Every structure is written in C-alpha cells, then in structure tokens.
Amino acid sequence: MVMTRVSPRRRVPRMPRMSVLTWTGVALLVLFLLLALVGPLFASAPDARTGQTLAEPGAAHLFGTDHLQRDLFARTAEGARVSLLVAVAGVGFGLVVAVPAGLVAGYFGGRWPDELIMRTLEAVQALPLFVFAMFVIGITGTGDSQLGPVTLTATTKVVLLLGVGFIPYFARVTRSATLVEVQEDYIDALKVIGVPRRRIIAGELLVNVLPPVLVQAFLWIGVAIFAESALSFLGLGIQPPRPSLGNILGDATSYMLLGAWWYSIIPGLVILVATVGFNLVGDGLGDALDADGRH
Amino acid sequence: MTAPHGVPTFDRRRFLTMSGVLTAGALALAACGGTDAPKTGGGGEAKKIETLTFGITSISDYLNPLSTTSSRVHWITDPVVESLYTYDASLKSVPLLADGEPEISADGLTWTIKIKEGVTFHNGDPLTADDVVATLTFVTDPKSTSDWTAYFVGYVKGATAVDKRTVKITLTAPFGVLRSHLTNLPIVHKAFVSRTDTTMGTGPFKVDKVTQGQQVTLSRYDTYHGAKPALLGVVFQAVPDPATRMVNLREGKIQIMTDVSPESVGLLKQDDRIKVHEVAAPSDIMTYFVVKKAPFDNVKVRQALGHAMDRKGVSDIVYGGTASIAQGPIGPAVEGYDPALKIYAETPDYAKAKALLAEAGMSSLTFTLMITSDARMKNIGQVLVEGWKQAGITCTLEVLDIGPWVKNWAVGEYQMAMTGFESGFGAGRTAYTVLGSLSSLNPLNFGYKNDEVDKLLGEAWAATDEAVRAETCKKINGILAADAILMPPVHPRLIVAQRTDISSLDEKLMGVSRISLPAVRSV
C-alpha cells in the first residue's frame, strides 16, 4: 500500500510587510554574505605578504594590512567565509541530532523516552559552552586529533563543539512544536489506521515542525558566528595561519594601542554585522511565521 | 510599550536597536580618538623615585629561583639572592659570596670553595657552608624537578661542608663549566630551598609581600654586605598585555618593562621620556626535531626544511629587522658563536629545498610544528609556514600552552617543536642550555646521536678556559648547522624599555639577561 501524505498541508508563510529592522537585517546580511562568499574571489591569498606592516586602509589595501604584512581585506573575507561555514556546519550538526531527538521526545511527551532525552539534554545544557570547549580542547589539544580512524581537525572540533552546545536548544524547540502537532486529529487518524510510528514521526510530524525549528536555526547561525569568534579569540578555535574573524581580532588586540585601529575595528564590525543581520532577519522570519499562525 | 503591571518591557528587537545605536556611537567616539601622540619634553615637576615599579608579563606562582631558570622568575629574585660568583662589568666571573677563587684539585674532580665572612640573610642568619650545600643538594636531586638539575646531573656527585666556611664539591668528571653554573646559581637560605611561595637570600633587597600572580614587593635590606642601593624598594607588577605595559611606561605607572614588542620600539623611541635597550643576549628560539622518527630521521629532509626557512622574513616581519639571522643554534651573545658560518641563505632557497626533498625520495613534506601560545611564537610560526609552503612543504601549527608543550616535548611527542627561552640566568654566556640536550646521554635527548658531538660536548664542559670552551662550541655549532639539528630562524635581541627619570640600566649585564636594579637611582 502506498501511503500518501494525510496531514493538513501547512500554508507557506505569507510574508507580512517587512519592518525597517528586518530590512536593515537583510541589508546587513547581504553585506556579510557578499564579503564571505564573493570577497575571497576578488582578494589576494589570505597568507600572502604585501611588504607593508600595519598599513592603514587605502586604495591599495581596502582594510589595511596586519602585523605580518598580510592584506586584511583578504583575511577578513576568508575569515568571514570560515566563520560562516563553521557556524552553518555547527548549526547543521546540531539540527541533525536535535530534530530527531526533539521529535521522539515530543511524540512520547511525558513518557520515559521523553524524560530520558530531555534530562540528558538538560545535562548537556548545564555545561556552559566555553567551559565545555576548554575542557575538550584541553584534553585533545588545538591541533588535529585522532578519533579511531577519523582525524578531527581544529575546525571540525569547533563545528562539533558548537553543534553539541546547540542540540538542547534545537531539541527543545522541536519538542515543543511536536507536542502541539501530536494533538492534531490527523495524528490520531494515522494511528487508528495503523500507520507505523516511525512513519508518523519521520513522514508527517517532521514536515510540520520544521518551519519554526529552521527559523530558530537561522537565528542561531548569528550566535554560532559569535561563539566561533569568541572561541578563536581565546585561541581555542580556528588555529593560525587559517584566518577566522575571532583569531584576527585576537591578534589585533596587541596593536590597538599602537595606533592600528583598523585591525581591531574592521573584523569587530564584521562580527557585529553578521550577528545583528542574522538576528534581525531571523526575527523577521519569526514574525512571518507568527502572522501565518494567527491567520 | 508598557506591560500590564506598568513595568516597561524590553524585547529583543528593542535591545538590538539600542545595541546598534550604542555601537555606532562607540565607533564614532573611537574614530575621533586617534592615537596617543608621542610626548616630547614633559611638563610637571619631576618626582624622585624611591620605589621603582617593574612591569613584567607574569608573576609565577612559584617564587623559587632554585626551581626554574626562567627569566620571568629570576628578574624578580635577582635583587634578592646572590651567587658564589657574579659578573663584573666585562661579564667576567668574579667572587661574590665566595671568598676568592675555588681550589680545583689536580684531577679536576674536587672543587673547594671558601665562603665570605660577615654575610647575612634577610632574617639575620649568617651565610654558612650549610646553606651552599643545601642549595646544591636541592638542585642536584632529580626529585626536586628543578630546571637546574640538568646543569649538574651526571657531573656533580655531591657537596659537603668541610667547616662553617668551606664547601667541597665532588665531581664524576672534570667540569670546568661549573664555574659558570656557580656564577648563575643563587644561594638560598637552607630553610627556603624547597619553598615555592617566597625566597630568602643575601641580596640588597628582601621580599616583603607576594600577591600570587599579580605583584611582588621588595624592600631595601639595610644591613646588606655590599653597596647599598639608592632605591627603597621595587614592585614587580604583572601586566600581561605588551601594549598595556607600553602605555603604563609612557604614563610613568611603571619605570621598566621587559618583553617589549618590536613593533612598539619605534613608537617608544620617539618619546624622549623613554629609553629602549636592544641588546644581544642569550635569548634563544629553541627548535627541536624528533630525530628518531620519520620524516626527520632523514638529514636531507631536515636540510630541505632549513633551506626553505624564511629567516629574513622572521627577522623583518616579527622582529622589525632587529634579530640576527641564525645559521646554527648558538647566537651572537653566547660562547661559540661563529659569525663566519654560512650554510643557509637569508631568504629561502626553494630550488635547493625541493632538490633535497627529491634526494630523500619525497615530492612533498607534511608535518606539525608544536609551538607555545605566546604571540611571538605564533607570529614566527605563521611566517615560517608561509615560507615553507612555497617549497611544497605543508606545516600545520599546533599551538599549546607552555605546560602541555613541555609535557609533549619532554616525552618526544612532537615532530618539530619551537619555543622562546632566555637562557642567561641558567647558562650565562655558555651554550649549556642550548647544547646540553644534544649529548646522547642527556635525559632530554630527542634521538640525535653523533659521536663527534658527544666527544666535543665532553671537552667543552670539561674546559675551564673560556676560550677553549668557546672554540669547541663553535665546532659543535658548525656540525649541528650542517646536520640541521636545532635550527632557530633568528637570534632575537633582548629588548627592555625604561623611563629616563631613572638612571640608565647596564646594557653589558643585559648581555646575560640581568637587569641591574640595585644600581638604579632616580635622576
């Protein structure tokens, strides 16, 4: 017997009129994405030397140069790309683990699988991300680590750390949405006609709880960029010479008082633009979803 | 918008708007700020400095000069403790706590040293042979885990007090370099040899207060046996950030700072209230290969790395051109330096590096360089990585805090390792720190075995004549450079900055890493 989808088809969220803040977010996000995705195509190699130490921003070097004579535009663009990729991968990893966990927990709301999953995730959530990161990096070091046959690079470790840190939040949102969805009549109908539980969760519930989870995930990309930057700033994240917004900012702190204002301000601004941009756009998407829910 | 109870709400959107406005405001203010213009001249009344403040990168939790040879500890304890011998103005070893030259037996296996009379510790106890014996017993005991142990192990059999004023040191083999070690090893009160919270010596200043990790306060010891210092006290203040140290120096909050970043030297030199000392000192970049494992068991691979090393890049970019290009491990401030040695070019010779790799049967090379996490090492590492990349050599940096770095280094858990070290307090002008671990019998040996080097090291450490030792070390340096063992890119200078309202520090003594605080006075 071929099953067809029986759940009520959710309307595609109709975009309400976007607020000025959302437009600002879109503009900031476009700026950041242009820098991160298009910037590296037009920039020199991020490690190439220009022959000028701490040169101010100008026509030759749009963002100036750093203390090792490297073009800061090239490094900031590459750093933004690395930070974005790490953030997206971290959020993606978090989603891959959290969504199934949240779905199962929500489906069995109040029963032992729900208790087991949620208490476990609360235990993970109780560990502050940075303390957890220091613990893991302290044991494994900042370089490559061997996990059986798999080599974990510093970048992979950051992705996994961020992902693990985000799992409880994503799982909670997924569970909440699932708890509401399982009250719907169509779920009872599916159970009555004998549709396997696995099919109900993966085929019906998943589709219907994804929109709020994805909006949440979008918001968390901004948080992930900020968290990655903070880890790299502390020397626990992306390792030199590979640039990331955080390690560029970390290097820059020693040169702020020597007059190299651009070295700190520019990567700092890029982090600000990214986090505020993702937050404002995520907020706008949330509004759109709420408006759709009200309809 | 107000909540039903009349409490104003503060949603995320409003928070973001306000954050944006505040950030824009802060940026505008920052943009208006600009940099501090260097001061020339200076208004205000000159104030006599009675207590000097010394800005240092960190204050160790272990204030025991017998545990470590690190300059971070010894800069603090140097005015507090004294050695049997000291350096005169020409860096010659002369008696200080010893009463005259040592009597060395004809076979060179016994050294008898008389102790000066009338010297007292800061608690009033007289200096006796027992204190010297306690110090030597502590540092020669491997259980003490002291850095100093490596300076005596295998050579010093023991020390005994013949009488209250005479110490006899017995050796397993002639050990002429012992004179240098005794010129650097502080003599500590016998009750303080293993204490880590403070120390007690016979020097011109005594320890008053230790605030762990933050500050150490010294005051003048009024019954000091030598010339009384002009200063009433010295405060060592931990200021980890070099830029903050520099600002503190310019504002007069500190009078001396060490670990001056080469980038700030230019700015400091423009300020006529500041004097910068750039001195050739035993300031080493220690690089090690694990020679017993591939790929660095192959001399051609190591040589390829040496030829592709961007020495000039490190000197120019990281040290502002102040560091000298290295050929071998021995630098210009150390016995055995050979200015005529030319094996590696200043700029990388990629063709030669590739040819050597090909001879070793490799088309490319990938390895990990383990470095310590200080900014200087990270900068050097990045310049080297970029240089090697041009020769098809891929190097990944593994950045570790000093604790894990030392742990991995001691057990040989690395491929190539690099860190910075000022060896003047341990080895003076001798190359003992740099070359010690190369002896195949040394516990810190990393797999290098060369019978000729072993023989020459034995001769160098046995020699009592400095010229003979220097000549022998020069030969070792040449062999090591050719074998591409211990391959620093440059030999950095010791950079210290001081305010001009105190008398000039003695640059000669900086040649052995010392900052001559007892001689400082307000001007």
Side-chain angles (χ1 to χ4, degrees), chain A residues 87 91 217-227 271 274-279:
Chain A
V91 167
F218 193 83
L219 273 167
W220 278 79
I221 292 176
V223 177
I225 290 174
F226 188 78
I271 295 171
T275 45
V276 173
F278 274 105
N279 264 286

Side-chain angles (χ1 to χ4, degrees), chain B residues 193-211:
Chain B
V193 288
S194 57
R195 276 184 69 167
T196 54
D197 56 332
T198 188
T199 189
M200 185 179 287
T202 57
F205 289 95
K206 58 184 166 51
V207 178
D208 267 355
K209 193 179 169 200
V210 181
T211 310

Side-chain angles (χ1 to χ4, degrees), chain A residues 19 21 47-49 67-70 75 141-143 219 239-241 251 253-255 257-259 265 269 272 276 279-280 283 287, chain B residues 12-13 16-17 23 27 30 35 241 243-244 246-247 263-264 267 310 313 317-318 378-379 382-383 385-387 389 397-400:
Chain A
S19 68
L21 274 178
D47 295 330
R49 283 182 216 141
H67 64 297
L68 296 180
Q69 303 185 344
R70 299 171 298 196
R75 288 191 71 72
T142 53
L219 273 167
Q239 294 301 306
D251 284 344
T253 51
S254 304
Y255 302 93
L257 294 172
L258 291 176
I265 296 280
L269 266 179
L272 184 77
V276 173
N279 264 286
L280 291 178
D283 229 23
D287 284 351
Chain B
R12 202 161 58 90
R13 193 174 307 184
L16 286 169
T17 316
T23 311
L27 287 176
T35 37
D241 180 48
T244 311
M246 185 189 76
V247 171
E263 300 87 3
S264 60
L267 195 64
D310 189 358
I317 297 170
V318 183
K378 282 201 258 185
N379 291 344
Q382 291 182 75
V383 172
V385 167
E386 183 58 18
K389 203 195 282 178
L397 294 178
E398 184 178 16
V399 185
L400 297 179

